[in-house]
Amino acid sequence: MNIHKNTLLYRVNKIKKLLNSSLDEGDELFSYQLSFKILIICPRSCSLIFPNYKTRYFMKIC
């Protein structure tokens, strides 16, 4: 997949704003990565916790 450098930087900055994080800590990055993988693996159980996550955030990422 090829994307322009500015597009990548824009998306990373948007994620930083949404998470209210600088994404500098390894433990924090691991937590976000694990959470994202859980959303992919078990969307039904996650929809019980976050009823509208598919329409608001998750589908925009995928």
Side-chain angles (χ1 to χ4, degrees):
M1 181 168 116
N2 297 322
I3 61 171
H4 193 271
K5 177 185 166 187
N6 290 340
T7 303
L8 176 64
L9 293 174
Y10 171 78
R11 290 180 182 177
V12 169
N13 286 326
K14 191 172 180 180
I15 290 169
K16 286 180 180 181
K17 282 184 179 181
L18 284 171
L19 297 175
N20 195 22
S21 171
S22 64
L23 301 177
D24 290 334
E25 296 292 324
D27 291 342
E28 187 177 16
L29 288 172
F30 175 76
S31 296
Y32 290 133
Q33 184 179 16
L34 181 61
S35 300
F36 187 70
K37 288 183 185 269
I38 290 171
L39 285 173
I40 292 171
I41 293 169
C42 60
R44 285 192 179 152
S45 62
C46 292
S47 66
L48 295 173
I49 300 168
F50 306 105
N52 60 349
Y53 84 94
K54 283 186 180 180
T55 56
R56 291 185 63 196
Y57 302 110
F58 188 72
M59 296 307 286
K60 290 180 183 179
I61 295 171
C62 293

mmCIF file of all heavy atoms in Angstrom, residues 23-41:
data_model
loop_
_atom_site.group_PDB
_atom_site.id
_atom_site.type_symbol
_atom_site.label_atom_id
_atom_site.label_comp_id
_atom_site.label_asym_id
_atom_site.label_seq_id
_atom_site.Cartn_x
_atom_site.Cartn_y
_atom_site.Cartn_z
ATOM 1 N N LEU A 23 1.822 9.361 21.997
ATOM 2 C CA LEU A 23 2.241 8.053 21.473
ATOM 3 C C LEU A 23 3.755 7.840 21.584
ATOM 4 O O LEU A 23 4.368 7.230 20.710
ATOM 5 C CB LEU A 23 1.777 7.887 20.020
ATOM 6 C CG LEU A 23 0.282 7.986 19.758
ATOM 7 C CD1 LEU A 23 0.000 7.864 18.268
ATOM 8 C CD2 LEU A 23 -0.479 6.939 20.524
ATOM 9 N N ASP A 24 4.345 8.323 22.655
ATOM 10 C CA ASP A 24 5.780 8.171 22.855
ATOM 11 C C ASP A 24 6.160 6.976 23.720
ATOM 12 O O ASP A 24 7.269 6.460 23.618
ATOM 13 C CB ASP A 24 6.360 9.441 23.503
ATOM 14 C CG ASP A 24 6.354 10.625 22.559
ATOM 15 O OD1 ASP A 24 6.389 10.398 21.333
ATOM 16 O OD2 ASP A 24 6.314 11.758 23.046
ATOM 17 N N GLU A 25 5.261 6.537 24.582
ATOM 18 C CA GLU A 25 5.558 5.447 25.518
ATOM 19 C C GLU A 25 5.265 4.090 24.887
ATOM 20 O O GLU A 25 4.205 3.877 24.300
ATOM 21 C CB GLU A 25 4.721 5.606 26.791
ATOM 22 C CG GLU A 25 5.033 6.856 27.574
ATOM 23 C CD GLU A 25 6.424 6.823 28.183
ATOM 24 O OE1 GLU A 25 6.865 5.737 28.603
ATOM 25 O OE2 GLU A 25 7.064 7.884 28.220
ATOM 26 N N GLY A 26 6.189 3.165 25.030
ATOM 27 C CA GLY A 26 6.029 1.825 24.487
ATOM 28 C C GLY A 26 4.848 1.075 25.079
ATOM 29 O O GLY A 26 4.114 0.392 24.356
ATOM 30 N N ASP A 27 4.663 1.188 26.392
ATOM 31 C CA ASP A 27 3.541 0.499 27.045
ATOM 32 C C ASP A 27 2.205 1.023 26.529
ATOM 33 O O ASP A 27 1.257 0.267 26.323
ATOM 34 C CB ASP A 27 3.597 0.678 28.564
ATOM 35 C CG ASP A 27 4.754 -0.062 29.192
ATOM 36 O OD1 ASP A 27 5.301 -0.978 28.539
ATOM 37 O OD2 ASP A 27 5.106 0.265 30.341
ATOM 38 N N GLU A 28 2.136 2.310 26.321
ATOM 39 C CA GLU A 28 0.914 2.927 25.824
ATOM 40 C C GLU A 28 0.620 2.461 24.392
ATOM 41 O O GLU A 28 -0.512 2.110 24.062
ATOM 42 C CB GLU A 28 1.062 4.443 25.869
ATOM 43 C CG GLU A 28 -0.180 5.199 25.538
ATOM 44 C CD GLU A 28 0.017 6.699 25.661
ATOM 45 O OE1 GLU A 28 1.182 7.165 25.715
ATOM 46 O OE2 GLU A 28 -0.987 7.400 25.674
ATOM 47 N N LEU A 29 1.648 2.420 23.556
ATOM 48 C CA LEU A 29 1.476 1.953 22.184
ATOM 49 C C LEU A 29 1.020 0.495 22.154
ATOM 50 O O LEU A 29 0.158 0.113 21.365
ATOM 51 C CB LEU A 29 2.788 2.103 21.403
ATOM 52 C CG LEU A 29 3.187 3.520 21.051
ATOM 53 C CD1 LEU A 29 4.589 3.544 20.456
ATOM 54 C CD2 LEU A 29 2.199 4.132 20.102
ATOM 55 N N PHE A 30 1.603 -0.320 23.025
ATOM 56 C CA PHE A 30 1.210 -1.719 23.109
ATOM 57 C C PHE A 30 -0.260 -1.848 23.495
ATOM 58 O O PHE A 30 -0.996 -2.650 22.917
ATOM 59 C CB PHE A 30 2.091 -2.472 24.113
ATOM 60 C CG PHE A 30 1.650 -3.890 24.321
ATOM 61 C CD1 PHE A 30 1.911 -4.857 23.364
ATOM 62 C CD2 PHE A 30 0.965 -4.255 25.470
ATOM 63 C CE1 PHE A 30 1.492 -6.168 23.551
ATOM 64 C CE2 PHE A 30 0.550 -5.558 25.668
ATOM 65 C CZ PHE A 30 0.809 -6.517 24.700
ATOM 66 N N SER A 31 -0.703 -1.053 24.453
ATOM 67 C CA SER A 31 -2.102 -1.095 24.886
ATOM 68 C C SER A 31 -3.046 -0.745 23.745
ATOM 69 O O SER A 31 -4.076 -1.402 23.550
ATOM 70 C CB SER A 31 -2.335 -0.136 26.051
ATOM 71 O OG SER A 31 -1.592 -0.533 27.168
ATOM 72 N N TYR A 32 -2.708 0.276 22.985
ATOM 73 C CA TYR A 32 -3.553 0.670 21.851
ATOM 74 C C TYR A 32 -3.565 -0.415 20.782
ATOM 75 O O TYR A 32 -4.601 -0.730 20.210
ATOM 76 C CB TYR A 32 -3.085 1.995 21.250
ATOM 77 C CG TYR A 32 -3.331 3.185 22.138
ATOM 78 C CD1 TYR A 32 -2.340 4.119 22.369
ATOM 79 C CD2 TYR A 32 -4.561 3.382 22.753
ATOM 80 C CE1 TYR A 32 -2.565 5.216 23.187
ATOM 81 C CE2 TYR A 32 -4.795 4.477 23.569
ATOM 82 C CZ TYR A 32 -3.790 5.391 23.777
ATOM 83 O OH TYR A 32 -4.012 6.470 24.581
ATOM 84 N N GLN A 33 -2.412 -0.985 20.510
ATOM 85 C CA GLN A 33 -2.331 -2.027 19.490
ATOM 86 C C GLN A 33 -3.142 -3.253 19.905
ATOM 87 O O GLN A 33 -3.892 -3.813 19.105
ATOM 88 C CB GLN A 33 -0.875 -2.415 19.239
ATOM 89 C CG GLN A 33 -0.711 -3.424 18.126
ATOM 90 C CD GLN A 33 0.745 -3.770 17.870
ATOM 91 O OE1 GLN A 33 1.610 -3.501 18.684
ATOM 92 N NE2 GLN A 33 1.003 -4.378 16.735
ATOM 93 N N LEU A 34 -3.016 -3.648 21.153
ATOM 94 C CA LEU A 34 -3.766 -4.794 21.660
ATOM 95 C C LEU A 34 -5.267 -4.522 21.615
ATOM 96 O O LEU A 34 -6.058 -5.371 21.194
ATOM 97 C CB LEU A 34 -3.323 -5.126 23.085
ATOM 98 C CG LEU A 34 -3.994 -6.325 23.738
ATOM 99 C CD1 LEU A 34 -3.709 -7.597 22.955
ATOM 100 C CD2 LEU A 34 -3.502 -6.463 25.174
ATOM 101 N N SER A 35 -5.674 -3.331 22.012
ATOM 102 C CA SER A 35 -7.092 -2.970 21.989
ATOM 103 C C SER A 35 -7.648 -3.026 20.568
ATOM 104 O O SER A 35 -8.759 -3.517 20.345
ATOM 105 C CB SER A 35 -7.294 -1.563 22.548
ATOM 106 O OG SER A 35 -6.850 -1.495 23.871
ATOM 107 N N PHE A 36 -6.887 -2.536 19.620
ATOM 108 C CA PHE A 36 -7.336 -2.548 18.239
ATOM 109 C C PHE A 36 -7.483 -3.980 17.731
ATOM 110 O O PHE A 36 -8.451 -4.318 17.055
ATOM 111 C CB PHE A 36 -6.361 -1.764 17.364
ATOM 112 C CG PHE A 36 -6.838 -1.581 15.957
ATOM 113 C CD1 PHE A 36 -7.899 -0.748 15.678
ATOM 114 C CD2 PHE A 36 -6.221 -2.257 14.923
ATOM 115 C CE1 PHE A 36 -8.351 -0.577 14.377
ATOM 116 C CE2 PHE A 36 -6.663 -2.098 13.622
ATOM 117 C CZ PHE A 36 -7.722 -1.261 13.346
ATOM 118 N N LYS A 37 -6.538 -4.845 18.071
ATOM 119 C CA LYS A 37 -6.616 -6.246 17.655
ATOM 120 C C LYS A 37 -7.829 -6.943 18.276
ATOM 121 O O LYS A 37 -8.485 -7.754 17.633
ATOM 122 C CB LYS A 37 -5.328 -6.978 17.984
ATOM 123 C CG LYS A 37 -4.186 -6.564 17.081
ATOM 124 C CD LYS A 37 -2.938 -7.355 17.365
ATOM 125 C CE LYS A 37 -1.793 -6.832 16.541
ATOM 126 N NZ LYS A 37 -1.653 -7.493 15.261
ATOM 127 N N ILE A 38 -8.135 -6.612 19.530
ATOM 128 C CA ILE A 38 -9.317 -7.191 20.180
ATOM 129 C C ILE A 38 -10.580 -6.742 19.456
ATOM 130 O O ILE A 38 -11.504 -7.538 19.252
ATOM 131 C CB ILE A 38 -9.360 -6.817 21.675
ATOM 132 C CG1 ILE A 38 -8.246 -7.545 22.420
ATOM 133 C CG2 ILE A 38 -10.720 -7.131 22.284
ATOM 134 C CD1 ILE A 38 -8.041 -7.094 23.844
ATOM 135 N N LEU A 39 -10.659 -5.483 19.042
ATOM 136 C CA LEU A 39 -11.813 -5.000 18.285
ATOM 137 C C LEU A 39 -11.991 -5.770 16.985
ATOM 138 O O LEU A 39 -13.108 -6.039 16.564
ATOM 139 C CB LEU A 39 -11.670 -3.513 17.971
ATOM 140 C CG LEU A 39 -11.916 -2.548 19.105
ATOM 141 C CD1 LEU A 39 -11.558 -1.134 18.668
ATOM 142 C CD2 LEU A 39 -13.346 -2.606 19.569
ATOM 143 N N ILE A 40 -10.894 -6.126 16.351
ATOM 144 C CA ILE A 40 -10.961 -6.868 15.094
ATOM 145 C C ILE A 40 -11.395 -8.307 15.336
ATOM 146 O O ILE A 40 -12.223 -8.852 14.613
ATOM 147 C CB ILE A 40 -9.598 -6.828 14.368
ATOM 148 C CG1 ILE A 40 -9.311 -5.413 13.886
ATOM 149 C CG2 ILE A 40 -9.571 -7.800 13.192
ATOM 150 C CD1 ILE A 40 -7.910 -5.222 13.364
ATOM 151 N N ILE A 41 -10.858 -8.931 16.378
ATOM 152 C CA ILE A 41 -11.121 -10.347 16.641
ATOM 153 C C ILE A 41 -12.529 -10.593 17.167
ATOM 154 O O ILE A 41 -13.189 -11.550 16.773
ATOM 155 C CB ILE A 41 -10.073 -10.910 17.625
ATOM 156 C CG1 ILE A 41 -8.699 -10.924 16.955
ATOM 157 C CG2 ILE A 41 -10.454 -12.296 18.100
ATOM 158 C CD1 ILE A 41 -7.560 -11.216 17.893
#
